[in-house]
Amino acid sequence: MEIIGTGPDGEPIEPVIAIDESGAESEPWSNWSLDYLPARSGGYHLDVRVTDRAGNVAIYEGVNVNLAVSLTYRGSTYSWPNPLNRAAGDSAHFSFDVNLPSGSKINMTLSIYDFAGDLVYESMFPNISPGRDSDQLVTWDLKNQVGAAVARGVYIFRLEAEDVVTNNRSNAVGKMLVIE
C-alpha cells in the first residue's frame, strides 16, 4: 500500500510506501503508518494505491488536506567531541538534522557564547544540505572572532537553520566544555 496524489502545484507527489504495523495481530490492512514530509505548505490531494500479491492494482479516493511545513530539528543536536581539548588541537563539529526533503538547502548560522552569555564567535555556513553528515561542514576551531584561542570553560552553542526557499527558521542550543 502506498500514498499517491498531487501537491499544491498540481504536480504528482512521489509515492510514499505505507508500513503494515499490525504485526500479524489484527487484520493486515487495519494498522498502517507512513512517514511523509511534504516539500512545501499547501493543499494536497492524497489517494491510496493498493497492490495485491498477484500484482493487481486498485486506487481508492483519498482526502484533500492542507499541510503546513515548519522547519524543526529532528532528533538530538549536539557537538562532538565533548569535552574539547585545546592542547590537542580539537575542533567542535555540530551534528543536526532538520525536517526538509532531500535536495533542499539551508543556511546555518553558528553562534558560540561563553557561560556569561557574551557572544564569542559567530559564522554562517551557506547552502548546505541538511542531515547528520553536515557535521563535517559546521565546525568551530575554538577561536574567538579575532582569532585568539578561547579560555577553558563551558560554552553554549546556538544553531540557526534557515530554509533558503521559504526563509523559515529554527534554532537549537547546546553546551560544550573546553579543557586544556
Side-chain angles (χ1 to χ4, degrees), residues 81-153:
N82 198 0
L84 295 146
N85 188 331
R86 269 188 330 187
D90 284 350
S91 288
H93 302 270
F94 298 89
S95 288
F96 58 89
D97 191 12
V98 293
N99 67 334
L100 287 175
S102 63
S104 299
K105 297 289 184 181
I106 59 171
N107 293 328
M108 181 63 72
T109 301
L110 168 65
S111 303
I112 306 291
Y113 299 89
D114 63 17
F115 199 66
D118 295 323
L119 181 65
V120 173
Y121 176 82
E122 189 169 71
S123 184
M124 183 189 185
F125 300 85
N127 292 313
I128 61 174
S129 297
R132 291 281 173 213
D133 58 349
S134 297
D135 57 18
Q136 299 301 319
L137 302 173
V138 180
T139 60
W140 176 48
D141 62 1
L142 308 184
K143 295 183 179 171
N144 63 19
Q145 288 291 91
V146 295
V150 297
R152 292 179 296 190

Side-chain angles (χ1 to χ4, degrees), residues 8 13 29 60 63 75 81 84 86 97 116-117 140 144 149 154 156 167:
I13 62 170
W29 53 82
Y60 297 93
V63 296
L84 295 146
R86 269 188 330 187
D97 191 12
W140 176 48
N144 63 19
V154 176
I156 308 298
N167 293 328

Side-chain angles (χ1 to χ4, degrees), residues 21 25 34 58 62 76 80 107 110 113 127 130 167 180:
E21 300 285 346
E25 300 290 324
L34 60 99
S76 60
W80 60 272
N107 293 328
L110 168 65
Y113 299 89
N127 292 313
N167 293 328
E180 199 89 46

Side-chain angles (χ1 to χ4, degrees), residues 42-56:
Y44 287 77
H45 177 78
L46 303 177
D47 297 321
V48 176
R49 179 168 53 199
V50 179
T51 307
D52 66 15
R53 291 186 180 155
N56 300 312

